[in-house]
Amino acid sequence: MKLTVVGCSGSFPSAESACSSYLVEADGFRLLLDMGNGALGELQRHCGLYDLDAIFLSHLHADHCIDMLAYFVARYYRHDGGRADSIPVYGPEGTEQRLTTAYGDTPSASSMSEVFDFHTVKPGTFEIGPFTVHTELLRHPVEAYGIRIEHGGSSLTYSGDTGVSEALDELARDTDLFLCEAAFTYGKEDIPDLHLNGHEAGEAAARAGARRLVLTHIPPWTDPEVNLADARAVYSGPVELAAPRASYEI
């Protein structure tokens, strides 16, 4: 598998990065994890507008899904070749309604589903293209899922947004790469069931026995170097900060 960071800023785009979006590729299949603010523009550095094969939305906060509205425009009103074929979109219950409401002026109530084939995510194991995926409901103010992706004996785990959770630890058990959010600063923000800090992300990776930790979803007001140091203090494996356009072979 190949993982490419399209965007990794939390809450809103920074001057350097779009919000959460990660491209996972194997066997010619392209799966996008989340499409937050600014992600669609950055995505085009890595693949064509119509080259995605499936999309997974971890939850429906804007910094993880709002560029789906722009992507709807690109697929529905495609200027050359007519409307794009429907692409599978996996998201929490109500994803289609949420996107339609956010857009506010679709030609009809069902227009989103003409270019997006919506599938409701629940905890479980299923196939997306060549990938075997396992999803777990995590701790966040809205319905939010973490995802583990397996292919060819390798695994990638993406936390989405979450507080400390045993389900996250199990999802990341012995994973090859743990892409984990670390939005908060240890000792500064202490809000349960919302986000992790660098210390908590490191502890989760250590408990899970993850082989590599990449910290992501760090908002512009959080010092990433502090979170990196906090994670390294409790996790002995390799750990680094996600960066736009970084790629990993898994």
Side-chain angles (χ1 to χ4, degrees):
M1 288 185 289
K2 179 182 178 181
L3 167 68
T4 301
V5 178
V6 178
C8 54
S9 184
S11 298
F12 58 91
S14 70
E16 291 79 30
S17 178
C19 283
S20 292
S21 192
Y22 312 92
L23 182 63
V24 183
E25 301 172 83
D27 297 346
F29 190 95
R30 295 181 175 94
L31 169 63
L32 191 71
L33 308 179
D34 287 338
M35 192 183 287
N37 319 41
L40 185 60
E42 289 297 314
L43 177 65
Q44 293 171 77
R45 297 181 184 274
H46 308 288
C47 74
L49 273 174
Y50 308 106
D51 292 338
L52 289 178
D53 296 293
I55 299 169
F56 173 86
L57 301 177
S58 63
H59 65 292
L60 300 178
H61 279 154
D63 59 325
H64 291 257
C65 73
I66 202 64
D67 264 29
M68 289 291 291
L69 306 187
Y71 197 41
F72 165 76
V73 172
R75 297 189 74 86
Y76 193 89
Y77 298 104
R78 184 166 64 167
H79 71 279
D80 186 17
R83 189 170 302 163
D85 292 338
S86 183
I87 182 176
V89 174
Y90 299 82
E93 181 133 18
T95 294
E96 179 180 2
Q97 180 183 9
R98 170 74 176 203
L99 296 179
T100 300
T101 300
Y103 191 89
D105 191 28
T106 54
S108 74
S110 62
S111 294
M112 284 279 174
S113 63
E114 294 181 44
V115 291
F116 298 138
D117 179 18
F118 291 100
H119 299 259
T120 299
V121 173
K122 295 296 181 184
T125 301
F126 53 99
E127 306 295 320
I128 301 179
F131 304 114
T132 298
V133 304
H134 183 74
T135 53
E136 287 290 351
L137 182 65
L138 301 182
R139 296 181 176 178
H140 202 54
V142 299
E143 187 178 359
Y145 291 91
I147 184 171
R148 181 187 180 103
I149 303 170
E150 298 179 346
H151 178 270
S154 299
S155 62
L156 158 69
T157 301
Y158 170 49
S159 68
D161 283 6
T162 183
V164 175
S165 168
E166 291 181 6
L168 177 64
D169 296 351
E170 288 306 312
L171 201 64
R173 182 73 56 199
D174 298 323
T175 196
D176 292 297
L177 192 150
F178 187 16
L179 182 63
C180 187
E181 75 118 293
F184 284 164
T185 302
Y186 181 52
K188 177 182 177 184
E189 294 133 324
D190 184 17
I191 306 172
D193 299 337
L194 183 57
H195 288 297
L196 300 173
N197 56 51
H199 183 90
E200 290 168 334
E203 287 184 323
R207 287 192 300 266
R211 295 181 178 87
R212 186 177 190 178
L213 174 62
V214 178
L215 302 178
T216 193
H217 195 272
I218 299 177
W221 61 73
T222 296
D223 186 341
E225 294 300 328
V226 169
N227 285 19
L228 181 62
D230 288 342
R232 284 175 170 163
V234 293
Y235 171 67
S236 59
V239 54
E240 61 195 272
L241 298 169
R245 306 176 203 172
S247 64
Y248 304 87
E249 295 293 336
I250 304 170

